[in-house]
Amino acid sequence: MSLFKTLLLSNQAKVVFKTQNPLHKPFPHSPSFIIRRTLSSSPQESIKKPLSLLFEEAVGLTEKAGGNESEYQEEKDGLMSELRELEREVRALKENPKPKVQKEEKEKKPKKKVTNLVELFGGEKMVEKRRRESGEATVLKDLSPFVKAFVRHLYSKGYFNKANFLVDNKLEFSYFDSKYGRDFIKSAAYKFGKDHQEIAQWLSSQNLKTVALFGCPSLDKNNVFAAKWLRKIFKIQEDTVCSQCMLKDSCLHANKDVWGIATRNLLLVHVMKVIILYNLDQVSPKLTVPDEVRDSANKLLEEVIKLSRTT
């Protein structure tokens, strides 16, 4: 009996030592492990879900089990906050309504009418920049009666048929209040000079010489060589004119002669390239043009109109 008690006590001591010793890990399939795992497991532990159900919950095909009430409450709170914000905005509009006068004025304000491609793509600024660099005048003046008469004559001869800035191809001088319109007048004058070379021999030599002695109206290459051509016709020395010119410091062609077989003949296109700048008041702003030079240019323009009607 004493031996049986001794064995029983020793077995109980071993069980206590194994259960309380952290180094001792029971085998997973041992009875003690199964019993302790069963006792330590919580009855509320979540059951694993199949992959198909997890996928459906992830893509929104089915609602997640649990947490629906919290999501619904969050969505409800968001909608309520948006409704309150709308109520505040409506209340503010009722208290301080926006004036409708400004909106009506904006609607009634007419849009600027684009008459040519230069205005449409902002080429006007580029033209003005190029003119400032070349020393030409950038301030437009009203067309003189001489220029208006010449424009009417050009219009009657069909030189403005391709002018896209003339609405319905009707002549209105307000369309020439831009750099593009003034340049079109010059281009038409050059073309007119090429088409009516026979007029050149009937022009006043005195007026031509007065214009030639003054110098070049601008630093543009075409105008410079046209003026030199006139001086060559009247045998005026280049250094005589260039030494007194206000543009000589920035001119690339000062004191240079023009050579060629055609220099013996007066070309109307060269005359038009020179006098049209005086007629349009588009000479370089650095130049002070005497009245006699302007008068001679205007008289030559009148002669051109009259002679073209008789020839």
Side-chain angles (χ1 to χ4, degrees):
M1 186 68 179
S2 60
L3 179 60
F4 176 77
K5 288 182 179 180
T6 303
L7 291 174
L8 181 62
L9 290 174
S10 62
N11 289 333
Q12 290 178 354
K14 288 180 181 180
V15 171
V16 171
F17 173 77
K18 288 180 181 180
T19 56
Q20 293 182 358
N21 188 4
L23 298 178
H24 176 74
K25 296 182 180 180
F27 190 73
H29 298 287
S30 63
S32 61
F33 179 82
I34 296 173
I35 294 171
R36 191 169 62 180
R37 175 67 181 272
T38 304
L39 293 175
S40 62
S41 299
S42 174
Q44 298 179 355
E45 184 178 359
S46 60
I47 303 173
K48 292 184 178 180
K49 302 177 182 179
L51 292 177
S52 59
L53 182 59
L54 290 174
F55 176 76
E56 291 178 357
E57 290 178 354
V59 299
L61 295 177
T62 59
E63 296 183 356
K64 294 182 180 180
N68 290 337
E69 294 182 359
S70 61
E71 291 179 0
Y72 173 75
Q73 187 64 31
E74 290 178 359
E75 184 177 357
K76 183 178 179 182
D77 294 341
L79 292 174
M80 291 300 296
S81 62
E82 291 179 2
L83 288 174
R84 293 192 191 97
E85 185 66 24
L86 288 174
E87 289 177 358
R88 284 194 292 268
E89 292 180 1
V90 172
R91 197 179 301 113
L93 288 175
K94 288 182 178 180
E95 293 175 357
N96 299 315
K98 294 183 179 180
K100 299 181 180 180
V101 179
Q102 296 181 356
K103 185 177 180 181
E104 292 178 357
E105 290 179 354
K106 289 181 180 179
E107 292 178 354
K108 292 181 180 179
K109 187 177 180 181
K111 295 182 180 180
K112 185 179 178 181
K113 191 172 184 179
V114 179
T115 57
N116 53 69
L117 294 176
V118 176
E119 294 180 2
L120 180 61
F121 295 102
E124 195 73 19
K125 296 180 180 179
M126 298 173 60
V127 173
E128 291 182 3
K129 181 180 179 182
R130 187 167 62 250
R131 289 183 180 278
R132 285 195 298 269
E133 293 175 352
S134 62
E136 292 187 33
T138 56
V139 180
L140 294 177
K141 297 181 180 180
D142 294 336
L143 295 177
S144 66
F146 303 99
V147 176
K148 288 184 178 181
F150 182 59
V151 169
R152 291 191 189 97
H153 183 66
L154 293 176
Y155 179 78
S156 65
K157 296 293 184 180
Y159 286 92
F160 288 97
N161 290 341
K162 295 183 179 180
N164 58 1
F165 58 92
L166 295 181
V167 179
D168 297 330
N169 201 27
K170 294 181 180 180
L171 181 61
E172 293 185 15
F173 290 103
S174 59
Y175 295 144
F176 298 100
D177 294 335
S178 65
K179 295 294 183 183
Y180 184 81
R182 299 297 173 91
D183 287 344
F184 203 96
I185 294 176
K186 290 192 294 184
S187 299
Y190 301 161
K191 192 175 186 305
F192 178 86
K194 292 179 181 180
D195 296 339
H196 297 81
Q197 171 57 31
E198 68 279 359
I199 297 176
Q201 58 181 334
W202 305 107
L203 295 176
S204 170
S205 298
Q206 184 61 40
N207 291 329
L208 286 172
K209 190 172 183 179
T210 301
V211 173
L213 279 170
F214 178 71
C216 304
S218 74
L219 292 177
D220 184 77
K221 184 178 179 180
N222 292 326
N223 302 122
V224 169
F225 277 93
K228 287 179 178 290
W229 207 290
L230 292 181
R231 292 196 288 271
K232 193 70 175 179
I233 294 295
F234 291 98
K235 299 180 180 180
I236 301 173
Q237 297 296 323
E238 285 294 309
D239 55 354
T240 303
V241 177
C242 295
S243 61
Q244 301 175 359
C245 182
M246 298 299 295
L247 305 177
K248 61 182 179 181
D249 294 334
S250 53
C251 182
L252 300 176
H253 310 286
N255 299 318
K256 294 181 181 180
D257 292 326
V258 178
W259 299 99
I261 299 174
T263 52
R264 298 177 182 178
N265 301 322
L266 178 64
L267 300 180
L268 183 61
V269 63
H270 292 153
V271 176
M272 300 307 298
K273 286 181 179 181
V274 175
I275 67 172
I276 197 63
L277 293 183
Y278 297 115
N279 301 137
L280 292 172
D281 286 322
Q282 286 191 333
V283 298
S284 173
K286 296 181 181 180
L287 294 176
T288 303
V289 182
D291 292 338
E292 59 179 359
V293 176
R294 293 187 183 275
D295 293 339
S296 297
N298 291 331
K299 289 178 180 178
L300 288 170
L301 192 62
E302 281 185 314
E303 292 177 6
V304 168
I305 298 173
K306 292 179 180 179
L307 290 171
S308 66
R309 288 172 179 171
T310 57
T311 56

